[in-house]
Amino acid sequence: MEIRHLVTFIAIVELGGFTKAANHLGYAQSTITSHIKALETELGRPIFDRIGKQVILTEVGKKLMPHAKKMLEIYDGIKEVTSMEGEISGHITITIAEYLLLYRFPPIFEEFKRKYPHVSIEWHHVDPLTFREELSNGSTDLVFILGKQVKNSNIYCETIVEEQMMFLYPNDFNINNQLDLKKSSLLVTNKGCSYRTLLEQFVEKSNIGIQSSIEFWSIESVKQSIISGLGVSILPRITVEKELRDHKLIGETYEETLFTFMLYPRNKWLSPAVTEFVHIVRKNAQFW
């Protein structure tokens, strides 16, 4: 079973079609078709059903997918082993919380790229509902997430830093006025986000009865909305230090802290590139 055939198979599945896979891989359409025919001949079964212009995985195709990814992972590992005595190269995929990418990781990224310019990095936004699956199926190498400790026998979970959380509100807001709080909107990020959970728990415990909430796609949009007087929120202190210094909003240290964790599969071989990235993260985190 040729590696290039598996690469084509995975590209078709992930990109959603033969034409998109051909454009992405730089192959002619006929080459893509021949790769899939070769796989199907070797397996003795079709791996795609062709329904009109759609291609849908058969049961055999569904079973092949995780094995194909694993074979590519092994192949990439072999390639990196053969180059270990030379310059480290390759590709790593990192799934990370937005606040870390913006406020913690720029120096880490700069140092890593300076030392290992031939390693490409692909960044994914962390989804609290799917990151475990991404680790288990090999679609990401490392996950950095804020929250509570992840308990999973197949995932190594390392505490990186304890993050102080801030309850944030507009400058003209009276935090001691229950009516002001009740009339406020909760400014939240996506479902499953740890600081959204803290905010919802705060409202529930305080029995204030805030019913209005506005969901945002980024920390920056939450901050600007607090400054504009739209409502209140809870965010990591590091994300609002400048705004607090500039008196653009007001914050109080929240009673509960969260932790940033680094996660990777417990039984997976870590490539030299991933190992070096982990080392740089640990070194920088000592000063956070």
Side-chain angles (χ1 to χ4, degrees):
M1 196 168 288
E2 293 191 34
I3 291 295
R4 61 198 178 108
H5 296 167
L6 295 177
V7 170
T8 297
F9 167 64
I10 292 171
I12 292 170
V13 175
E14 293 185 340
L15 297 174
F18 281 51
T19 302
K20 290 180 180 179
N23 292 336
H24 177 72
L25 298 173
Y27 288 151
Q29 184 82 23
S30 58
T31 302
I32 295 289
T33 302
S34 68
H35 285 184
I36 297 306
K37 284 184 177 178
L39 275 177
E40 292 180 328
T41 299
E42 191 168 353
L43 292 169
R45 301 277 184 85
I47 55 178
F48 289 111
D49 280 327
R50 284 78 168 175
I51 303 175
K53 294 183 178 180
Q54 286 187 314
V55 287
I56 301 172
L57 282 173
T58 63
E59 286 303 312
V60 172
K62 291 176 183 177
K63 290 178 181 178
L64 175 62
M65 189 64 175
H67 296 294
K69 286 188 172 183
K70 181 62 70 175
M71 288 177 71
L72 285 186
E73 181 184 309
I74 294 170
Y75 177 71
D76 288 340
I78 291 171
K79 286 199 301 182
E80 290 202 37
V81 165
T82 60
S83 66
M84 280 178 69
E85 293 185 2
E87 196 164 8
I88 291 177
S89 61
H91 177 87
I92 58 178
T93 303
I94 297 171
T95 298
I96 188 168
E98 179 199 12
Y99 97 93
L100 285 167
L101 187 58
L102 293 176
Y103 297 95
R104 292 289 194 198
F105 270 63
I108 291 171
F109 178 61
E110 187 278 329
E111 180 179 349
F112 184 83
K113 290 305 294 180
R114 177 166 39 82
K115 290 183 176 179
Y116 308 107
H118 299 295
V119 177
S120 61
I121 301 179
E122 181 179 343
W123 302 98
H124 289 181
H125 176 69
V126 67
D127 184 336
L129 305 177
T130 63
F131 71 87
R132 293 173 182 82
E133 181 183 349
E134 291 174 17
L135 280 171
S136 64
N137 66 23
S139 58
T140 192
D141 296 300
L142 295 167
V143 171
F144 294 90
I145 193 167
L146 180 71
K148 305 292 185 181
Q149 187 165 18
V150 176
K151 295 182 180 179
N152 186 308
S153 59
N154 297 317
I155 296 175
Y156 176 79
C157 179
E158 178 178 336
T159 303
I160 299 299
V161 65
E162 183 178 12
E163 291 288 2
Q164 187 180 80
M165 307 301 293
M166 301 293 292
F167 184 83
L168 303 159
Y169 45 94
N171 283 337
D172 60 355
F173 192 85
N174 184 354
I175 188 63
N176 297 313
N177 188 327
Q178 292 284 310
L179 186 58
D180 271 9
L181 271 173
K182 192 170 184 176
K183 290 189 298 184
S184 294
S185 292
L186 301 180
L187 309 181
V188 298
T189 47
N190 57 307
K191 290 181 180 178
C193 174
S194 53
Y195 27 95
R196 172 175 178 158
T197 302
L198 281 188
L199 187 58
E200 291 170 344
Q201 289 173 349
F202 163 77
V203 172
E204 186 177 343
K205 284 189 297 184
S206 58
N207 199 28
I208 296 169
I210 302 177
Q211 296 182 357
S212 172
S213 66
I214 307 173
E215 186 170 317
F216 293 90
W217 57 91
S218 72
I219 288 174
E220 190 60 34
S221 58
V222 172
K223 288 195 298 183
Q224 293 304 318
S225 296
I226 298 170
I227 292 169
S228 299
L230 288 182
V232 300
S233 192
I234 292 177
L235 292 174
R237 182 182 183 89
I238 191 173
T239 67
V240 291
E241 285 182 335
K242 184 178 186 303
E243 288 77 11
L244 290 171
R245 284 197 307 269
D246 295 345
H247 306 291
K248 291 184 175 181
L249 49 73
I250 300 174
E252 294 186 354
T253 301
Y254 192 64
E255 59 187 19
E256 188 172 347
T257 58
L258 295 175
F259 293 85
T260 292
F261 298 100
M262 176 171 62
L263 313 173
Y264 52 83
R266 192 175 292 277
N267 298 316
K268 180 184 175 182
W269 177 77
L270 298 183
S271 70
V274 172
T275 300
E276 288 304 310
F277 192 88
V278 167
H279 171 72
I280 292 174
V281 168
R282 287 172 177 157
K283 185 184 72 172
N284 279 265
Q286 296 177 56
F287 305 100
W288 290 351

